[in-house]
Amino acid sequence: MEIINRRQRMSSVARKIRRDQDRSIGLVPTMGALHEGHLSLVREARRMCDVVVVSVFVNPTQFGPSEDFEHYPRDLTKDTALLTDYNVDYIFAPPMEEMYPKDFSTYVNVGGLSKLLEGETRPGHFRGVATVISILLNTVRPDFAFFGQKDAQQAVIIKRLVRDLAFDTEIVVLPTVREDSGLAISSRNLYLDAEEQESASVIHRALKQAKEAYKKGEHHAGKLANIVRTTIETEPRVRLDYVSIVDAETLDKLDKLDERPILIAVAAYVGKTRLIDNIVVNKAKKDAATSKS
Ligand code: AMP
């Protein structure tokens, strides 16, 4: 395994793999502090692709001014050890000035979708995400790039980005990995103590209850949202930011639910930590995980 810090080196290594060796490349973009959620993506990349590149970069442009960029957990030594065990070929861990050289001035904005849900509370977040993913896709030019359903809106936005700007990469979205309690694994769970983590598991319980109610015939979005809200309210340590029931592909708000895939998305605070989670009901029968741009 090689750790690459320079964009130019990453591009030329990837170019050789594609051209001279005709081997497929899978990219797993991360911000490090790797956990089982990330590793599930790495495992699938390893299964599907000849060469696996994992990028580790805490992307400043996707953090708001009062967010946790400075304190975001970073441990490249530990991440490297984990990725060695997973037989990863390259870690791309660029320093800031490699990704954002002086006078950097080009940003990518996926209109509409970026303003909804998370975008309402985190203006600029998805502009930062779309920009960094564009740089990574252009640098590595992977055949496949792997993302988690945990960040459902991000996955929708990246699929749209890839389609709209004709990136030649297939986006693969994989299921959310959870603790036994149901809590979605996240690097930000490190901010929570054991009791808070236990309390935070109410988020997944609430989502599951809404899904059950839907299956039993409750197709009124407001009522499903209420199930989520009232369940989360039973846990005093958890404060709901929003629950939204939207079309899983367009993220349009829905009132009356029909047979299309529906995303129930939640953001909630546990202390100062903001967590997001979601559940999909009516998942499309065909393999909905993969979409070619
Ligand atoms: P991050 O390091 O938080 O930017 O996440 C990198 C990738 O890992 C993103 O595609 C996330 O959606 C994905 N990811 C994070 N947590 C999980 C999880 N619990 N299950 C599956 N994928 C995840």
Side-chain angles (χ1 to χ4, degrees), residues 29-32 35 37-38 40-41 62 72 146-151 154 174-178 184-187:
T30 81
M31 297 206 298
H35 52 61
H38 300 114
S40 71
L41 308 183
Q62 70 187 71
Y72 196 84
F146 297 81
F147 295 87
Q149 175 64 21
K150 157 81 167 52
D151 300 282
Q154 170 173 284
L174 295 168
T176 303
V177 179
R178 300 178 179 281
I185 299 181
S186 159
S187 307

Side-chain angles (χ1 to χ4, degrees), residues 166-208:
F167 284 99
D168 191 16
T169 295
E170 188 166 321
I171 300 302
V172 181
V173 181
L174 295 168
T176 303
V177 179
R178 300 178 179 281
E179 304 283 2
D180 290 343
S181 67
L183 173 64
I185 299 181
S186 159
S187 307
R188 289 191 168 100
N189 293 354
L190 292 171
Y191 300 146
L192 307 178
D193 64 29
E195 278 187 350
E196 287 174 323
Q197 291 210 15
E198 188 49 41
S199 304
S201 66
V202 76
I203 298 170
H204 182 55
R205 276 203 304 287
L207 288 167
K208 273 199 312 192

